[in-house]
Amino acid sequence: MDRPGSAVLALARACHPGPTVLVTVLAVALALGTGAGGWTVAVVGAAVLAGQLSIGWSNDWIDAGRDLAAGRHDKPVVAGLVSEHVLRRASLLAAAACVPLSFAVGWRGGLAHVAAVAGGWAYNGALKASVWSWAPFAVSFGLLPIFVVLALPGHPRPAAWAVSAAALLGAGAHLANVLPDLEDDHATGVRGLAHRLGRRTSSVLAPAVLLVAGGLAVLGPAGAPDPPAWLLGALVGAIAVSAGVVAVAAPRSRLPFTLTMVVAALCCVLLVRVGDQVVLPI
């Protein structure tokens, strides 16, 4: 904590770098795919990065007490690398920066993205311990293509299939993402949807939901899917089915989580590669 470099590293760890980078890259790639100009792509990327940083830091700040109780020494607060006070300040500053960056592309897109970030905060604050834990992810991910499309000149409409695919991607990724922490969460009173369904059911449901998301990304765009789309779709199906089979046969295995994350990444690729068709004509 005494060295600035150590503090920066601790903040980087506490922001949940995997999801933060993934969502930011997805937004930027989607904006590029829609044909957005350089300034729009840069603002979209900066807004999404600020929003994701605020969500990640607020998660570790709000969960600090639970992490301490569970002995989560992989968490920077528990390890003594950063304080709750610093995380609270960082998350609020990032949220404050996110608002003007979001509205820089227009009030419609700004409202969509601020609502998406608010969903992440709602999950951190209360919904993660309820049966509705999946809802903020579904809503916030569904709002991502809406934000990107509304940032374009003329504010065109996003395709319904893209919004639905993104929402399912968020819900499926959430179910998979909590699997490694089920026991720690249960010990500290967190009982979201995955906790209530149980490890085996959640491990089967997560890739199934993502499979539907991938199917929408393949079949949703106008016209017949091209060969790469069929190939990626078949790969998504094969890996998703494999994840479900392993989950049933070996519910304590970490392999279903890993396979499901691969499916989620492939769904992102399927969505991005048809970015131009996410936009409906004005």
Side-chain angles (χ1 to χ4, degrees):
M1 291 278 297
D2 294 332
R3 292 176 299 173
S6 298
V8 171
L9 182 59
L11 284 171
R13 286 178 55 187
C15 79
H16 295 232
T20 294
V21 171
L22 177 62
V23 175
T24 303
V25 169
L26 175 60
V28 169
L30 199 57
L32 287 170
T34 62
W39 183 86
T40 300
V41 172
V43 173
V44 164
V48 172
L49 177 59
Q52 291 303 304
L53 287 173
S54 78
I55 293 170
W57 284 329
S58 67
N59 182 281
D60 270 27
W61 152 41
I62 294 170
D63 279 356
R66 294 193 187 104
D67 292 336
L68 284 166
R72 293 288 304 275
H73 293 286
D74 58 314
K75 295 289 188 176
V77 173
V78 180
L81 301 175
V82 68
S83 68
E84 294 178 55
H85 172 73
V86 169
L87 285 181
R88 179 173 65 250
R89 178 182 297 179
S91 62
L92 293 174
L93 287 174
C98 173
V99 174
L101 286 169
S102 300
F103 280 94
V105 300
W107 67 267
R108 297 174 183 84
L111 283 177
H113 188 243
V114 168
V117 175
W121 278 72
Y123 172 81
N124 292 341
L127 293 181
K128 72 182 301 178
S130 77
V131 71
W132 297 101
S133 61
W134 58 274
F137 283 82
V139 171
S140 295
F141 270 74
L143 285 169
L144 189 61
I146 294 177
F147 170 51
V148 171
V149 172
L150 289 178
L152 299 174
H155 311 295
R157 293 178 297 119
W161 67 262
V163 175
S164 300
L168 289 169
L169 173 60
H174 160 65
L175 287 171
N177 194 49
V178 299
L179 291 176
D181 299 327
L182 282 183
E183 284 73 22
D184 288 340
D185 288 343
H186 183 74
T188 54
V190 175
R191 297 195 70 239
L193 179 62
H195 307 83
R196 297 163 193 258
L197 293 176
R199 179 176 296 276
R200 177 177 292 176
T201 300
S202 296
S203 296
V204 172
L205 182 60
V209 171
L210 291 171
L211 178 58
V212 178
L216 284 173
V218 171
L219 301 174
D226 58 12
W230 283 121
L231 178 61
L232 285 170
L235 191 58
V236 164
I239 299 175
V241 170
S242 299
V245 170
V246 175
V248 172
R252 304 301 301 178
S253 172
R254 187 178 173 85
L255 185 57
F257 164 75
T258 303
L259 292 175
T260 303
M261 289 294 98
V262 172
V263 173
L266 290 173
C267 287
C268 290
V269 173
L270 280 168
L271 188 60
V272 166
R273 67 181 303 273
V274 290
D276 60 325
Q277 298 197 52
V278 170
V279 185
L280 295 179
I282 300 175

